[in-house]
Amino acid sequence: MTDLGQGGSSENRRKRLLFRAQRRGFKEVDLIFGQYAEAHLGRLDAVGLDQFEALLAAPDQEVYAWLRGAEPVPDTYDNPVFAGLKAVCAQKNPRWAS
């Protein structure tokens, strides 16, 4: 669902997604999603924003298992945004580890 269809702006949508990304309720996932959102939300097109929003709607425990590689990523979520989230996890010195 886009804000544009409801008379909002894509900037408002990005702000809402950033807020949601940082406050999912599962600390590890909050940090991963939050870092990805801060770095990439401004450059995502509508499809990327939809993919990010869909991942935000997925259950935390499942997303965390996919990110760790403990469970296979369903085709629905295996997209460039998920690859970006995995890249955040693969950082040699993530900022939350200091």
Side-chain angles (χ1 to χ4, degrees):
M1 178 187 313
T2 66
D3 286 340
L4 296 174
Q6 298 174 356
S9 71
S10 63
E11 184 60 29
N12 286 341
R13 183 180 187 197
R14 284 179 171 81
K15 287 178 183 177
R16 180 177 47 80
L17 291 174
L18 176 61
F19 181 85
R20 286 180 55 204
Q22 296 170 331
R23 292 162 182 83
R24 291 177 55 95
F26 188 106
K27 184 172 178 128
E28 292 84 351
V29 178
D30 287 352
L31 294 168
I32 295 163
F33 271 75
Q35 184 171 344
Y36 177 85
E38 288 173 6
H40 299 285
L41 271 184
R43 295 187 303 255
L44 290 179
D45 61 9
V47 171
L49 292 172
D50 289 345
Q51 292 172 347
F52 188 72
E53 194 161 19
L55 283 160
L56 282 173
D60 289 334
Q61 295 291 341
E62 291 178 23
V63 172
Y64 191 57
W66 306 334
L67 289 169
R68 289 188 351 229
E71 295 289 331
V73 183
D75 290 340
T76 305
Y77 299 107
D78 195 7
N79 56 51
V81 171
F82 184 80
L85 291 167
K86 283 283 287 186
V88 169
C89 295
Q91 291 177 355
K92 187 168 180 88
N93 295 308
R95 71 176 182 190
W96 61 81
S98 38

